[in-house]
Amino acid sequence: MIKNEHQYQVTKYWAENFSTAIMSLRQNEEKKNKDPDGWQLLLDSYQSQMKSLQDEIAEYEALIAHDPNQPVVLKVNDINQISDLLIKARIALKISQVELAYLCDRPEEEIKKYEEKDYQNASFIDFLAVSDALGIQIQEGKFFAQLHEFYQERLTAMRESSTTAPVHVASWKLEAEPLGGGSSGGGRASQTAFPG
């Protein structure tokens, strides 16, 4: 999975290299005639790798082209890739790691480390906090992500104040709702007041 612009450029570079290698291999009649099975095996492996890279490129381009004001439908091919939903949602909703850290009241470095390791180093509570901040829900077997109004207001306030003054970060906690309770389908965040 491509997570940022650097990885996108590197993936495009390697896809182009595989395309060139495929063209070169197809033109290599000597290898094709001398070892047809080896030639076909090599061609198939190059094509498979190029297809995989092209799929990743197409997915990333779709995520960065997504309108953040619209819900995004997310998919994973395997339950072991469930953490990819968080990264895909953040990219599609045009939220930086700094902004996500603010929304779920976590340090920026923590979010960076989570994404670097595909959230394998995150606790279940941290995973839920990020998921809730991104508005990830399951409807009819599909994953959707859309910022709830509460988080949209926080994000807007952060973006507006980041150009003028430091943002006051309040403490937020996640409270579980009973199943079927509320229209959001998830937990809700509430502010803990501290004397200022």
Side-chain angles (χ1 to χ4, degrees), residues 128-157:
L128 288 178
V130 172
S131 176
D132 188 59
L134 294 169
I136 295 178
Q137 301 177 32
I138 302 174
Q139 296 175 0
E140 298 176 11
K142 295 180 181 175
F143 294 94
F144 292 85
Q146 183 175 24
L147 284 181
H148 297 289
E149 184 178 328
F150 170 78
Y151 289 109
Q152 186 62 52
E153 289 171 2
R154 285 193 78 199
L155 182 61
T156 301

Side-chain angles (χ1 to χ4, degrees), residues 53-127:
L53 294 173
Q54 288 172 334
D55 289 347
E56 287 186 29
I57 290 167
E59 178 184 56
Y60 184 75
E61 288 174 345
L63 291 172
I64 61 174
H66 180 76
D67 177 357
N69 297 315
Q70 299 298 316
V72 60
V73 179
L74 303 165
K75 67 176 186 172
V76 291
N77 297 324
D78 187 305
I79 193 69
N80 294 325
Q81 298 171 339
I82 197 93
S83 59
D84 289 354
L85 294 173
L86 302 179
I87 300 167
K88 290 176 183 181
R90 182 187 63 75
I91 293 168
L93 296 173
K94 313 287 187 278
I95 297 174
S96 70
Q97 290 177 335
V98 172
E99 292 168 335
L100 180 58
Y102 173 76
L103 290 177
C104 57
D105 197 27
R106 301 293 189 274
E108 176 188 353
E109 282 303 311
E110 199 169 281
I111 297 297
K112 285 182 180 180
K113 287 179 183 177
Y114 291 161
E115 286 197 6
E116 285 171 6
K117 297 188 182 235
D118 298 324
Y119 282 87
Q120 293 178 17
N121 55 338
S123 71
F124 185 66
I125 297 297
D126 290 334
F127 187 92

Side-chain angles (χ1 to χ4, degrees), residues 132 148 150-151 172-178 184 186-190:
D132 188 59
H148 297 289
F150 170 78
Y151 289 109
W172 299 85
K173 64 181 178 180
L174 183 66
E175 296 178 3
E177 292 180 358
S184 69
R188 71 179 190 281
S190 63

